[in-house]
Amino acid sequence: MRRTSLIFVGAIAGVGLTLIATHPRTLLGGSIATAASSAAYQQLNLFGDVYERVRADYVEKPDDSKLVASAINGMLAGLDPHSSYMDPGSLRDLQVQTRGEFGGLGIEVTMEDGLVKVVAPIDDTPAAKAGVMANDIITKLDDEQVHGLTLDLASRTAK
């Protein structure tokens, strides 16, 4: 019986040493990864604690979405001075300003002499189906003159 136990223990030890020798990252690296993620989760728990403290005890009740957006901005600003977070509305506004795209209508536009000029209609969109063509000039949107409006204001009017 004792001899069988020693053989069994030896076999288990051999299998364990073989696994460690052939797959060290899988067996030992997992604990390192767990420790690293554990530290990250501890920091996230700290963030959660501070977030709850601010929500509960700040002089005025803060807006939750602004708190989270500010936290994300802070994280990105810590990486480099050029990174920042944009909420969906800000991203859409930036896209309109940089690409001049009226997504709902399906046209890409630019400003020319204070008027909205079509750069190109986007295939299979309401604008393309209505016959809007490149270089068309848009002077009115819903009976409102666009002359003098910014591209952003014109895009808001076009909705």
Side-chain angles (χ1 to χ4, degrees):
M1 176 76 172
R2 181 165 199 236
R3 187 173 190 178
T4 305
S5 297
L6 287 176
I7 292 173
F8 182 70
V9 169
I12 296 295
V15 169
L17 288 174
T18 302
L19 285 173
I20 290 173
T22 58
H23 302 294
R25 284 198 116 169
T26 305
L27 296 174
L28 300 175
S31 63
I32 294 169
T34 303
S37 67
S38 175
Y41 283 117
Q42 287 175 350
Q43 292 297 310
L44 287 172
N45 283 335
L46 174 61
F47 170 79
D49 292 343
V50 171
Y51 176 79
E52 287 303 322
R53 177 67 57 99
V54 168
R55 288 184 72 226
D57 297 333
Y58 194 70
V59 176
E60 298 172 4
K61 182 173 176 12
D63 180 333
D64 289 341
S65 61
K66 285 184 180 179
L67 281 177
V68 172
S70 296
I72 293 169
N73 265 320
M75 176 179 61
L76 294 174
L79 297 174
D80 65 73
H82 308 291
S83 298
S84 65
Y85 169 74
M86 297 180 123
D87 61 51
S90 298
L91 177 61
R92 186 193 61 73
D93 291 345
L94 178 67
Q95 288 171 331
V96 165
Q97 291 171 3
T98 58
R99 286 196 329 228
E101 185 175 305
F102 289 0
L105 299 176
I107 54 176
E108 191 172 334
V109 296
T110 188
M111 290 297 286
E112 188 172 289
D113 298 326
L115 296 171
V116 177
K117 181 179 179 182
V118 176
V119 174
I122 300 169
D123 293 338
D124 297 323
T125 62
K129 291 174 185 171
V132 174
M133 299 177 69
N135 297 318
D136 282 354
I137 302 292
I138 299 171
T139 58
K140 289 184 177 183
L141 293 167
D142 293 331
D143 295 325
E144 184 178 333
Q145 292 286 336
V146 296
H147 190 270
L149 294 179
T150 65
L151 196 55
D152 184 48
L153 285 173
S155 73
R156 291 174 199 247
T157 304
K159 291 181 178 173

